[in-house]
Each structure stands twice: as C-alpha cells, then as structure tokens.
Amino acid sequence: MQRRYAFPIALRVGVNRWDLLAAALALGAVAFVVAAMQPMRAPLAALEAAPVSLDIANLPVYALRTTFRMFAALALSLVFALAVGTLAARNLRARAIVLPLLDVAQSVPVLGYLSFTVVVFLRLFPGSVLGAELAAIFAIFTSQVWNVTFSFYQSLRTVPGELQDAARSMRMSAWQRFWHLDVPFATPGLVWNLMVSMSGGWFFVVASEAISVGPWTIPLPGIGSYVALAIAERDLAAVGWALATMLVVIALYDVFVFRPLVAWSDQFRLGAARTGEAPRSWVLSVWRRTQALRTLDARARALLRHATLHRAPVAALARRARVRELSRRFSAPWVGALAWWTVLAALAAASIGYGWHFLAGIGVREWLQVFLLGCATLMRVIALTLLASLVWIPIGVAIGLRPRWTARVQPLVQFLAAVPANLFFPLAVFVIVRWQLDPDIWLSPLIVLGAQWYILFNAIAGASAIPQDLLEIARSLHVRRWLRWREVLLPGVAPYAVTGALTAWGGAWNATIVAEAVHWGDQRLLAHGLGAYITVQTEAGDYARIALGVATMAAFVVTFNRLLWRPLYDAMERRFRLG
C-alpha cells in the first residue's frame, strides 16, 4: 500500500495587489541580472571599440555593471563564509590550518591577487570579456569575503551553551543544527557584516575595474574605471558625478536589499522582542502581505522537508552505514593525525621551495629594505586601528542600543564606508603640495578611511544583539555608567568589537596599496611603506618583487594575528560568552 503524506498547504491560491507589486520587484531584479550579464559574452576587442569615457550619460550603465559585480562577489563571499567558517568552528584539525590561511589570505592586498589571477582568468576565457569580468569579481570578492567569514566563525564560536544543550537534547543532526541553530544565531551579525563588506568592495572598486598589471591594461566599464579616468584627467566635475552616482546606487540597494534583511534578521535576536522599535522595511512588508507568493514559498518549503526527511533512499542509508563502519575500523587517532600533518608538511615544503626559487634573484639589501618599509607601515596601521577603535566602539554601541538611530544611520554609514580613497586624492595632493607637508604622515589618514567602518558596523551589530531582557534587568536595577558597561554592554559587544578590530586591521593593511601611493593627473606622492612598494612593482609588472612585497605583508599580518589578535579573541570568547 502506497503511503501518502499530507501537506498543510492547499494547491489553490489567490492573488492580491501585493502579489502584483512583489512580482514587479522580482521581475525588475531578473531584468537587472540579465542586463548586467549580457555584455560579458562580448569579445575582448569590444572594450577597445567602446572605451570608458567621462560622458555622464554612461554612468547609469556603468553603475549597473559595477553593482552586479559587487553583488556577485558578495554572494560568493556568503557561500565561502558558510562553508569555511563552519569548518573552522567545528573541526579542530581544520581550524589549525584554516585560521592561519585566512590570516594570510586577508593580508594579501587586492593588487596582489590581481597580479597573478588576471592572467589565469584571461587565459581560461581567451578573447572574451568574461575573463576580465571574472578577474574583477574575484578581486572584489577578496575585499569582501574575510570580514564575512570571520563574522560567521565568531558567531559559531559564541553560540550560548543552553542553546547547544537544547540542540543535543533534541538529537539534531549536524545539518539540522546548522540551519536551525547556527545560521539563525549568526544572522543579525552576518547581515551587518555583509553590508560593511559591500562597502569594502566599493572602497577597492577602482583597483578592481581599472585593471593595470604590467602589460595588461583593461579598464572594464564601471564606476571604478570611470573614477580612475577622472583622476588621470584631473576632472573634478567627473569625480563629483561619480560620487553622486554612488550615493544613488547605495541608497537604492539599501532600500531594496539591506533594509529588508536587517528588518527580517531582527526576529533572530536573543531575548525578548523589541517593543515598538523594531527595524522596518516596506519591501519586507510587501512580501509579508502577499498571498500567492507566500503560499508558493510555504509549499516549496514543505516539499523540501518532505524530500529530505521522508524520502531518504534505503540504499543511501545503507551506504552511509557501511562508510561509518569502515571509518570505525580504520580511524585510529594516530593514523588520522599522521596523515593530516604529513599533507600539511608536504604543502608547506612545496610552498617554501617554490617561493625561494621565485625570490632567489632578489638581493639581501632589498629584502632588508622591504622589511623596513613593512615596519613603517606597521606603525601606521597599529596607531590608526587603535585610534579608530577608541572612537567608533562607544559610538557604535550608542547607535546599536537605539534602533531608531540605527535605521537612520545605516544608509549614511554604508555610503561613507563605500567612498573610495581615490576620491580624496585631489584634496590630499593639493594640501600636501600646497603646504609642503610630509607624505609619510599626512597620507596616513587615507589608510583608515575604509577600515574604520568595520569597527563601527560590528559594534552596532554587537549592541543590537544584546538580549533585550538583560537591558531591562540592568535598567530596573539602576545599573549605570561604568558598571553597566562592565557587566552588560562589554560582555555582549566584546566578541563583535574584536572581530571588527581584526577585520579593520586586515583592511587597513590592504588599504595601504591605495593610501601610500597617491596620484592626481601627473602629480604623484609616495609614502615610505610596503603598500607603495607593492603598487609601484605591480605597475611595473615585476612579479618577483610583487611576491616579495605580498609575502612580507602576509608575514607581518600573520605574526601579529598569532601573537595579539587570536589570543585576545580567545580571551574575549571565554570571558564574555553569553550563556
């Protein structure tokens, strides 16, 4: 007798006016994707036939293509963060190698990735714009992904103990725990870090779209290449039009993407629900008022649960049981450990051998010079990261505790975080040249221009995630001032603040490639630092010296991450874990 499963969703659905509006928004999103992807199929020669121009009539098309690249990179960043963050948080052996690799990857500047990947993508798709587009998307991806990954990893490491006990008592599988506990708990902080990562991508969009690596010069149509051309031609009006276009684009995707996500993610906050101050979004309200779309969505969810829970093939279960039996037979602890460390040792030896062969032609004096340049950049990054933390953590907590302020400040902070440092080149060059200032000092603020917002966004996310009942208890007990910070606010915000400072630290190192080598037309200012060294060698196409600069920067970042940031993060996790 065939078994039947009942579904709570009826087949007949109605349509209301909100369905029509939601369908129009969905069709608009599909049209946006199709219009942005269509030029990717063109031959590479099409870029030479229609070069980037400063005609403001082209800005809408440039904005469309840049925005698509940004969201494509953000989607890849989210997938990467869910996979790698979970692996690092749940597997001790994987964590031992994943976290150092993330530290190294975060320390490699965008130009470092472009220098070696643009050739690969262009050869994978010879004669096609798609190769250059993928190189640009990958470069934007490298400016977004590390912040999202560290945020998700931090959330998984700080899941309250009582929630983990509840998951174990309910006998949830790893898959069920991931989707019913880990992802919901991480969602509020993850959404805020997706926003700041989006803005971080804007910060490096000029380097990502105006590709110039040795003999390769490929300006892709987009706002970034528009800004690069405006700076090269010293056109202040064009810079202003690019800034205005960015403001419009950021306002649009804030309304249609991030504000709905923030309002939706509020349901996953711990503690009592907010009363009257919950974030709102008219786009989310439209979705919640639809009838046909929500019914179809519920139907699809029911079918998915039905397929995964009730129709698991017996053969698959049998194969899984045989695999478990074999793994029990051959899973002696020393065998797995030996295999793991043997693979790691082989990879490390191969990397060191290849790197030494690649860098053998560089003299000891230049190695020492690059090390001293790294020390100069290190001093700038330490001072600016510390100053930004002291300024923005209290401000972020004050904003995050007041949802009305959060809703007002959110789009403004997104815009400020998205402004590329290149737009400040005219002002920096004018001020430094006019008053004959020292570039080593007065170019430094450009380093923290984009990195500081990682701290602010994470502080806002941490304050927003503090359970409402804890705040109510502290208020009823008249816990104020420093005692309130020590006992309530700091335990909730500390892991987020450390995550923000860690990502800001990596972002500041990355920003040195832009901030230490400033040009406006024919005028150029260089600060003594590792970022300027990498920029100059990238423009010259000297791959050996690019590798030397990138390796030195990675060594500085990883060393300080191991000695300072990781111990500090572990201490915050143990001391201020909720639950």
Side-chain angles (χ1 to χ4, degrees):
M1 179 178 179
Q2 184 178 5
R3 187 176 180 181
R4 297 182 178 180
Y5 296 94
F7 293 95
I9 308 301
L11 289 175
R12 298 178 60 184
V13 296
V15 178
N16 58 24
R17 57 180 179 174
W18 304 108
D19 286 299
L20 299 178
L21 180 56
L25 293 175
L27 289 176
V30 172
F32 161 76
V33 173
V34 172
M37 292 184 65
Q38 189 172 5
M40 293 184 179
R41 299 181 299 175
L44 197 58
L47 296 179
E48 299 179 0
V52 176
S53 71
L54 296 182
D55 186 357
I56 61 174
N58 294 327
L59 275 175
V61 177
Y62 292 168
L64 174 73
R65 298 187 66 174
T66 296
T67 306
F68 175 79
R69 296 182 191 116
M70 302 280 289
F71 275 102
L74 195 67
L76 293 175
S77 300
L78 181 59
V79 173
F80 182 93
L82 294 179
V84 176
T86 303
L87 181 64
R90 301 297 180 220
N91 190 298
L92 291 176
R93 290 179 181 172
R95 187 185 310 163
I97 187 64
V98 168
L99 292 183
L101 284 178
L102 289 178
D103 290 338
V104 173
Q106 184 190 23
S107 66
V108 177
V110 171
L111 288 182
Y113 285 107
L114 268 178
S115 303
F116 296 96
T117 58
V118 63
V119 178
V120 175
F121 283 113
L122 289 177
R123 289 180 177 175
L124 284 176
F125 303 93
S128 174
V129 175
L130 182 60
E133 290 281 356
L134 291 179
I137 291 173
F138 183 78
I140 297 172
F141 164 82
T142 61
S143 67
Q144 296 176 338
V145 64
W146 319 122
N147 177 57
V148 182
T149 304
F150 280 121
S151 170
F152 189 67
Y153 169 78
Q154 171 258 323
S155 297
L156 295 189
R157 296 287 295 165
T158 56
V159 175
E162 61 268 18
L163 294 183
Q164 298 186 37
D165 294 337
R168 281 190 290 267
S169 66
M170 297 174 66
R171 297 185 178 181
M172 286 187 177
S173 64
W175 182 254
Q176 291 171 327
R177 173 179 170 171
F178 179 77
W179 289 111
H180 294 284
L181 175 59
D182 295 340
V183 172
F185 179 80
T187 294
L190 193 60
V191 168
W192 279 97
N193 279 280
L194 286 172
M195 286 191 288
V196 73
S197 292
M198 187 71 172
S199 299
W202 279 106
F203 192 83
F204 294 103
V205 73
V206 176
S208 302
E209 291 183 345
I211 301 174
S212 180
V213 180
W216 303 98
T217 301
I218 308 173
L220 290 170
I223 294 180
S225 53
Y226 184 93
V227 171
L229 182 60
I231 291 173
E233 297 188 4
R234 306 181 71 168
D235 192 334
L236 280 175
V239 172
W241 282 113
L243 190 62
T245 304
M246 287 177 56
L247 177 60
V248 172
V249 170
I250 292 169
L252 287 175
Y253 71 60
D254 176 69
V255 170
F256 289 102
V257 179
F258 288 124
R259 195 174 293 270
L261 284 176
V262 170
W264 170 76
S265 67
D266 190 64
Q267 64 184 311
F268 299 113
R269 293 176 68 252
L270 287 180
R274 298 180 182 181
T275 58
E277 292 187 341
R280 298 179 181 179
S281 166
W282 68 266
V283 175
L284 186 62
S285 299
V286 168
W287 168 257
R288 287 172 173 170
R289 292 175 182 177
T290 60
Q291 183 174 345
L293 294 179
R294 291 197 68 193
T295 301
L296 293 174
D297 176 67
R299 174 80 176 168
R301 291 172 182 268
L303 288 172
L304 182 61
R305 287 194 299 269
H306 170 72
T308 56
L309 297 179
H310 299 292
R311 295 297 179 97
V314 177
L317 292 176
R319 285 195 301 270
R320 197 176 305 170
R322 287 196 297 269
V323 169
R324 283 199 296 266
E325 179 63 26
L326 289 174
S327 65
R328 279 194 294 267
R329 291 182 182 179
F330 301 101
S331 62
W334 68 270
V335 175
L338 179 62
W340 176 255
W341 291 111
T342 301
V343 172
L344 292 185
L347 291 175
S351 301
I352 293 173
Y354 179 77
W356 181 258
H357 176 74
F358 196 67
L359 301 174
I362 300 177
V364 177
R365 178 175 294 181
E366 186 162 358
W367 280 74
L368 180 59
Q369 177 190 358
V370 172
F371 174 77
L372 294 177
L373 292 175
C375 291
T377 300
L378 174 65
M379 295 299 102
R380 296 190 186 104
V381 172
I382 289 177
L384 293 169
T385 303
L386 179 60
L387 179 62
S389 299
L390 293 176
V391 171
W392 290 115
I393 289 177
I395 295 176
V397 172
I399 295 172
L401 293 177
R402 297 166 176 83
R404 292 180 182 176
W405 289 18
T406 303
R408 295 171 183 172
V409 170
Q410 173 187 327
L412 175 62
V413 176
Q414 283 189 76
F415 173 70
L416 293 176
V419 176
N422 310 69
L423 296 181
F424 292 91
F425 286 0
L427 178 62
V429 171
F430 173 78
V431 170
I432 293 174
V433 173
R434 175 68 176 79
W435 281 283
Q436 296 182 353
L437 302 175
D438 187 356
D440 289 339
I441 297 176
W442 295 99
L443 287 180
S444 297
L446 296 178
I447 294 176
V448 78
L449 189 65
Q452 61 186 337
W453 308 113
Y454 292 105
I455 300 172
L456 177 60
F457 268 87
N458 277 277
I460 295 174
S464 302
I466 296 176
Q468 189 69 20
D469 48 3
L470 288 182
L471 298 175
E472 294 294 338
I473 292 172
R475 191 178 296 114
S476 64
L477 295 177
H478 302 286
V479 178
R480 298 175 181 174
R481 297 181 181 178
W482 171 242
L483 183 62
R484 183 169 181 254
W485 265 95
R486 188 183 67 187
E487 300 297 336
V488 180
L489 300 182
L490 192 57
V493 175
Y496 292 85
V498 173
T499 299
L502 174 61
T503 51
W505 161 265
W509 278 98
N510 209 333
T512 59
I513 63 171
V514 177
E516 292 182 348
V518 172
H519 62 91
W520 175 242
D522 296 331
Q523 282 187 312
R524 186 164 196 180
L525 299 175
L526 294 177
H528 292 88
L530 198 53
Y533 178 86
I534 294 174
T535 301
V536 171
Q537 301 305 329
T538 300
E539 293 174 353
D542 191 335
Y543 289 98
R545 285 172 172 78
I546 294 172
L548 174 61
V550 170
T552 304
M553 184 175 289
F556 272 102
V557 176
V558 172
T559 299
F560 271 80
N561 283 358
R562 295 291 100 186
L563 295 178
L564 174 64
W565 290 112
R566 287 303 165 195
L568 180 60
Y569 184 87
D570 293 339
M572 292 297 102
E573 179 187 329
R574 292 191 301 268
R575 173 66 178 84
F576 297 122
R577 184 171 187 167
L578 292 176

